[in-house]
Amino acid sequence: MLETAYAAQTGNPRDCIIVALDCPPAEAISLADKLVGHATWLKVGMTLFYKAGPVIIEELHKQGFNIFLDLKLYDIPHQVEGAAASAASTGADLLSLHALGGPTMVQAAQAGIAALKQEKVTETVAITILTSFDNETLERVGIEKPLDVEVDTLASLAIESGANGLVCSPQEVGKLRELLGTSPRIVTPGVRPAGTAAGDQSRIATPADALMAGASQLVIGRPITGVADPIAAFDACLKEVEEVLK
């Protein structure tokens, strides 16, 4: 089994897949009901959280899921410290923030979570560069470094500042593993099973390729949630994961 895959810690290949519920509450609950006994991790993003509020985390926890609360926190350190504490108080297992916020902001998020003194500590993952970005987009917002160099810079900064892990595209995972070793949790969106549409993602890979590169967990949304049979789609992704982890 690949040592960097999250399943290496838990012994369950299902833990490598985080199903993204980027949809309204009623649809999210319906999808979660179908995924009980199949998926173990769900992602609650801004679309769902801003509509349903913290109660959605509690409801999904009651169904037995682990939750990645993908709020992409990015503000001045004081605001992020409070926001991280509020988000962690929902019981979310994983929380995202932007590494672009800088070391003081990342440290403030960790401080906000630590101040809660909860038995189950919410871990943070820092986003490097969104998977919808390419080099041209990066240049247009005024970042002149090549995309891969900027990813390395932000990833190192985030881990040095106390983040528990990272969010990056599958294409950057291998280099980050060389740079940072096997310890950080690396969560990769932009994962598309072979034959599915890329959508608005620019830097993508298949589940097998992402895991082989060193990803810990894979965020997969529309290829599972946007099809007629989400269970069959999840099981197909899981089969690919299990083949890699043999």
Side-chain angles (χ1 to χ4, degrees), residues 73-229:
L73 301 182
Y74 183 59
D75 209 323
I76 63 172
H78 174 72
Q79 289 288 352
V80 168
E81 182 172 352
S86 296
S89 70
T90 67
D93 302 273
L94 203 57
L95 173 67
S96 68
L97 50 89
H98 273 289
L100 273 168
T104 305
M105 192 204 80
V106 175
Q107 292 162 2
Q110 298 299 122
I113 293 169
L116 294 175
K117 297 182 179 179
Q118 295 183 140
E119 183 176 347
K120 184 182 74 173
V121 177
T122 300
E123 293 193 11
T124 58
V125 284
I127 297 160
T128 54
I129 298 295
L130 296 171
T131 51
S132 59
F133 274 51
D134 54 21
N135 274 302
E136 181 181 355
T137 308
L138 210 61
E139 289 175 9
R140 292 190 68 185
V141 299
I143 298 176
E144 297 181 354
K145 289 180 182 178
L147 192 148
D148 60 338
V149 175
E150 184 67 12
V151 167
D152 289 354
T153 299
L154 292 171
S156 297
L157 178 151
I159 296 301
E160 290 167 4
S161 302
N164 302 108
L166 302 163
V167 179
C168 68
S169 94
Q171 294 180 14
E172 284 97 48
V173 174
K175 191 174 179 184
L176 290 184
R177 283 298 180 203
E178 292 178 9
L179 182 67
L180 300 170
T182 59
S183 295
R185 183 199 299 246
I186 299 183
V187 178
T188 58
V191 174
R192 293 288 185 270
T196 59
D200 55 1
Q201 306 281 10
S202 294
R203 304 180 339 269
I204 64 174
T206 66
D209 287 342
L211 286 173
M212 289 295 293
S216 305
Q217 290 176 288
L218 318 172
V219 176
I220 307 176
R222 285 164 285 184
I224 293 175
T225 62
V227 300
D229 190 345

Side-chain angles (χ1 to χ4, degrees), residues 45-60:
M46 291 181 282
T47 298
L48 178 54
F49 190 78
Y50 291 164
K51 182 68 173 179
V55 68
I56 192 69
I57 308 297
E58 181 180 355
E59 290 181 22
L60 296 174

